[in-house]
Amino acid sequence: MSMIVEKIPEKIRQYCKSIKKKDKSIGFVPTMGALHEGHLSLVKMSLAKCDETVVSIYVNPSQFGHGEDLNAYPRTLDNDLMLLEKMGISAVFVPGNEQMYKEDHMTSVEVSEITSVLCGKSRPVHFKGVTTVVMKLFNIINPDYAFFGEKDYQQAAVIKKMVQDLNIDVKIITGPIVRESDGLAMSSRNVKLNKKQRGQAPVLYKSLIEAEEMLMLGVSAVEVKQRIADKIKMQSEVLIDYLEIVDPVSLENKIDSKNGILVALAVFFGNTRLIDNILVNKIDNDRNQNEKAG
Ligand code: PAF
């Protein structure tokens, strides 16, 4: 059966309802397009788990703050559709702004607390835009499962909280970060790096690995942060937006090491802001117990 490409919310809703009527499960992969192996790995997870898979491609303006890269965000719709068709997915939802945000749109969904740290600190409107659009997409598609990448660790945590708090009938599944052979996390924004910046960007993953090693050896979070910040700053083109060592559940500095430890960072290479993280699962050394990371 050929892939359906639909921009009208009511039509894709009817299509999804028809799938449900046949007692089939729907897996949903929301994206902003410019698809790469990271997205495709989520699509594969959905195809393996669900009877039908629906992908959305929509560059959501409400999650970009003033002066951020909304207009420069890469858009590669024809190629995206070709990739998805090859994978055998059922339908792609490709709304425009006129379908998603009517002129008199007044409603938003906002998760508090965990949205005010990490990316939320430097991108204050971002998560409100994400939760609002994802809620709308969930209401239109009504999926059984929705798939999110772990590169956007905080985004996945915020969506899980929204689903829990608002009793939304969907299971959130996360997929591991997919990396280039030199360790750079795949991102639609990587194409915006110039040659020099692209050469420098793998320092992020190298630093995260070093941070993990140090934490496992019992080096304090304060010292780990200092050492990896110094390592990243050795590159000429960078500006660190944040570099944090936090509890993976609360996203706060007060670490309860039974949850593991999350090292998360956002770094500008020129105008391009890249994020990455590593979840350090098991800290053996008592020195890290309940440590307050500075
Ligand atoms: O992760 C993304 O691509 C976006 O934030 C999402 C979840 C599709 C919402 O616009």
Side-chain angles (χ1 to χ4, degrees):
M1 209 178 76
S2 68
M3 184 175 81
I4 289 167
V5 180
E6 183 54 69
K7 71 184 297 191
I8 310 295
E10 200 42 47
K11 289 196 178 159
I12 194 88
R13 189 206 303 276
Q14 289 311 326
Y15 172 76
C16 292
K17 272 189 177 170
S18 73
I19 294 175
K20 288 283 186 77
K21 261 196 193 139
K22 290 181 214 153
D23 242 0
K24 287 184 170 178
S25 60
I26 297 179
F28 176 47
V29 185
T31 80
M32 298 207 297
L35 301 183
H36 51 68
E37 286 300 325
H39 298 112
L40 301 186
S41 70
L42 298 175
V43 172
K44 280 180 202 151
M45 286 171 78
S46 176
L47 285 167
K49 187 159 188 70
C50 305
D51 297 318
E52 304 281 345
T53 292
V54 177
V55 174
S56 66
I57 298 178
Y58 175 56
V59 182
N60 169 39
S62 74
Q63 69 189 73
F64 290 80
H66 188 67
E68 289 185 352
D69 60 348
L70 171 62
N71 292 333
Y73 197 84
R75 288 158 169 89
T76 58
L77 184 61
D78 289 346
N79 190 55
D80 294 347
L81 294 176
M82 192 191 73
L83 291 171
L84 293 172
E85 179 135 46
K86 266 199 212 153
M87 294 182 79
I89 72 150
S90 313
V92 194
F93 179 43
V94 288
N97 293 337
E98 55 292 8
Q99 280 83 37
M100 291 303 276
Y101 295 103
K102 298 259 154 47
E103 262 173 31
D104 59 352
H105 186 99
M106 295 179 197
T107 309
S108 40
V109 179
E110 195 165 8
V111 174
S112 61
E113 292 175 49
I114 56 166
T115 54
S116 60
V117 293
L118 306 180
C119 289
K121 242 188 197 166
S122 46
R123 305 188 72 192
V125 300
H126 174 66
F127 288 114
K128 184 172 165 188
V130 169
T131 41
T132 300
V133 83
V134 170
M135 185 77 212
K136 282 170 74 70
L137 292 167
F138 284 173
N139 284 334
I140 293 165
I141 307 294
N142 193 16
D144 298 281
Y145 297 89
F147 296 80
F148 292 85
E150 285 163 14
K151 180 173 74 67
D152 296 273
Y153 184 97
Q154 188 176 14
Q155 170 171 277
V158 169
I159 302 285
K160 283 182 194 159
K161 197 77 190 83
M162 173 181 85
V163 164
Q164 182 191 45
D165 289 353
L166 300 183
N167 305 88
I168 306 170
D169 191 14
V170 60
K171 284 177 200 67
I172 304 299
I173 301 191
T174 62
I177 301 176
V178 180
R179 298 183 180 279
E180 302 285 355
S181 55
D182 59 8
L184 178 64
M186 292 208 183
S187 162
S188 304
R189 290 187 167 96
N190 290 352
V191 294
K192 291 165 60 197
L193 299 170
N194 66 28
K195 213 168 166 219
K196 188 170 176 198
Q197 293 160 349
R198 177 64 189 82
Q200 295 186 346
V203 73
L204 301 183
Y205 186 53
K206 288 194 185 103
S207 303
L208 290 171
I209 295 284
E210 268 184 47
E212 175 178 50
E213 285 165 3
M214 285 188 272
L215 288 166
M216 298 291 269
L217 288 172
V219 179
S220 78
V222 178
E223 199 176 333
V224 172
K225 268 169 72 169
Q226 188 58 53
R227 284 207 223 161
I228 66 171
D230 290 346
K231 183 180 169 90
I232 292 170
K233 282 186 204 152
M234 279 164 67
Q235 312 300 314
S236 57
E237 300 264 327
V238 305
L239 179 69
I240 297 179
D241 178 13
Y242 69 79
L243 164 52
E244 295 290 349
I245 297 181
V246 295
D247 181 275
V249 177
S250 68
L251 304 187
E252 284 175 0
N253 285 341
K254 194 169 182 329
I255 292 164
D256 178 351
S257 62
K258 74 173 181 331
N259 295 332
I261 294 182
L262 180 73
V263 187
L265 50 76
V267 174
F268 282 96
F269 288 81
N271 293 326
T272 307
R273 183 176 176 278
L274 301 180
I275 57 173
D276 203 347
N277 68 77
I278 198 162
L279 187 58
V280 182
N281 274 322
K282 192 169 169 292
I283 304 298
D284 291 326
N285 193 303
D286 283 343
R287 276 173 59 193
N288 277 297
Q289 296 275 331
N290 297 318
E291 179 176 27
K292 193 167 177 353

